[in-house]
Amino acid sequence: QVQLVESGGGLVQAGGSLRLSCAASGRTVSSNDMGWFRQAPGKEREFVARIRGVYGTTFYADSVKGRFTISRDNAKNTVSLQMNSLKPEDTAVYYCAALITSTLSVSSWGQGTQVTVSS
């Protein structure tokens, strides 16, 4: 059974930085696709970033490209999201996800961590 536990959310001023972490159990991040999604109040959950298992190739939503960086620590079996130059529109609950490579659908979700960016 896959379990994903996020940490690192909080309140930050616009222009600041936060680093989210996702600890995975029951799934090896070095050989499986992992991703981050977010959901703002009243909006649909949306894709933020993905890291491929085999080669570590990364993909980003246009809205965060150049500001966010997804990475992984194989030894700790964790996936992180470094968020820089944060904007108020980045305010959302951020979810770690285990992805099915062939379909890019989500097989498991974390419980989410709140990120609030004040203007």
Side-chain angles (χ1 to χ4, degrees):
Q1 184 177 355
V2 178
Q3 186 173 15
L4 306 173
V5 180
E6 301 99 333
S7 60
L11 173 65
V12 65
Q13 288 189 330
S17 299
L18 279 176
R19 185 177 181 87
L20 306 182
S21 291
C22 172
S25 59
R27 183 180 181 95
T28 304
V29 300
S30 62
S31 56
N32 289 280
D33 285 27
M34 300 292 295
W36 286 94
F37 292 73
R38 66 186 182 187
Q39 187 168 18
K43 294 189 176 181
E44 298 281 326
R45 192 171 298 188
E46 65 177 3
F47 166 77
V48 175
R50 173 169 71 102
I51 184 166
R52 292 202 62 188
V54 178
Y55 299 110
T57 309
T58 57
F59 304 87
Y60 298 93
D62 288 342
S63 58
V64 307
K65 203 172 293 184
R67 300 188 298 122
F68 290 12
T69 303
I70 188 171
S71 61
R72 66 187 182 204
D73 185 326
N74 295 340
K76 296 180 179 179
N77 207 39
T78 58
V79 177
S80 296
L81 186 69
Q82 177 66 42
M83 305 185 295
N84 298 329
S85 302
L86 282 162
K87 305 175 182 179
E89 51 262 44
D90 294 318
T91 295
V93 178
Y94 283 72
Y95 297 90
C96 178
L99 304 172
I100 299 172
T101 302
S102 59
T103 62
L104 296 183
S105 57
V106 176
S107 59
S108 297
W109 292 102
Q111 84 285 355
T113 185
Q114 177 70 46
V115 171
T116 303
V117 184
S118 63
S119 57

